[in-house]
Each structure stands twice: as C-alpha cells, then as structure tokens.
Amino acid sequence: MPFFDGARGRVFYRHWPAAQPVSTIVFLHGFSEHSGLYERYAAALNARGISLWSLDHIGHGRSDGPRGHVETIDDLVRNAENLLAVVPAQPHRPARGVRGILPPTLP
C-alpha cells in the first residue's frame, strides 16, 4: 500500500489511473471520511479518461493518528503538498471537502 511521510505520521494515498488519461484530479476528502469512500466516484471519472489521486488525512482511513483528529490546518496543507509531489501531472482540483479551507498557495 502506498504511504508517504506526512506532517504527523504516515499518510496513505490512492491512485485510480484512467486507461487513457486526458486529465488528473487530486481529491481531498472531508472530515470523518477517507479516500476509500470514493471508489464509485473514481470509476466514473476513469470511464471519462480522468485519473484520480486522493489521500487519507491524518487521523482518517489508513493514515496514522488518533481517529478523527487533525492537529493543525498547516498539517493538512503540508500533506496535500506531499501528495502533489507524488502526482506526475498538474491536477485540476474540484472545490470539495477541506479544499475550501486550504490556501490558494497550492499549485
């Protein structure tokens, strides 16, 4: 399973690659969720040629940390930056989940 070293422990991430990708989305789930909840969303995007990347925030899903606990917003930003470093293409990000609270400094 893929992990990277995050702000406060190991962060689990997923990649659902499209067979012939025309675009890539990096998706950040909301609180009390995890990336595994979005399998159907990923399949629908993949069918349209869109690859999807997502992580489990610290304290969520398969990532380290006390369940449901996020220490700081800066930790979320740092982990999102770490995920973006793994993604090979410039993503398009939908406004969903914690994206509304992350700063526009992310690429």
Side-chain angles (χ1 to χ4, degrees):
M1 289 190 281
F3 288 88
F4 60 78
D5 291 327
R8 296 185 190 271
R10 293 182 334 142
V11 175
F12 176 76
Y13 67 93
R14 298 173 195 262
H15 177 218
W16 295 274
Q20 296 182 349
V22 296
S23 186
T24 300
I25 292 176
V26 172
F27 181 86
L28 302 175
H29 67 76
F31 292 105
S32 300
E33 297 182 334
H34 60 85
S35 61
L37 295 173
Y38 293 92
E39 292 281 344
R40 288 178 37 199
Y41 179 58
L45 291 172
N46 288 167
R48 289 160 181 80
I50 302 169
S51 293
L52 181 66
W53 292 78
S54 188
L55 56 71
D56 289 349
H57 292 297
I58 288 292
H60 295 76
R62 295 180 180 170
S63 291
D64 289 346
R67 297 297 90 190
H69 181 75
V70 174
E71 191 73 26
T72 70
I73 297 299
D74 289 339
D75 291 345
L76 297 178
V77 171
R78 192 166 322 126
N79 290 339
E81 290 171 338
N82 288 341
L83 179 60
L84 288 172
V86 174
V87 177
Q90 180 63 34
H92 303 281
R93 294 171 305 212
R96 167 70 176 100
V98 298
R99 176 63 189 132
I101 61 172
L102 295 181
T105 57
L106 291 175

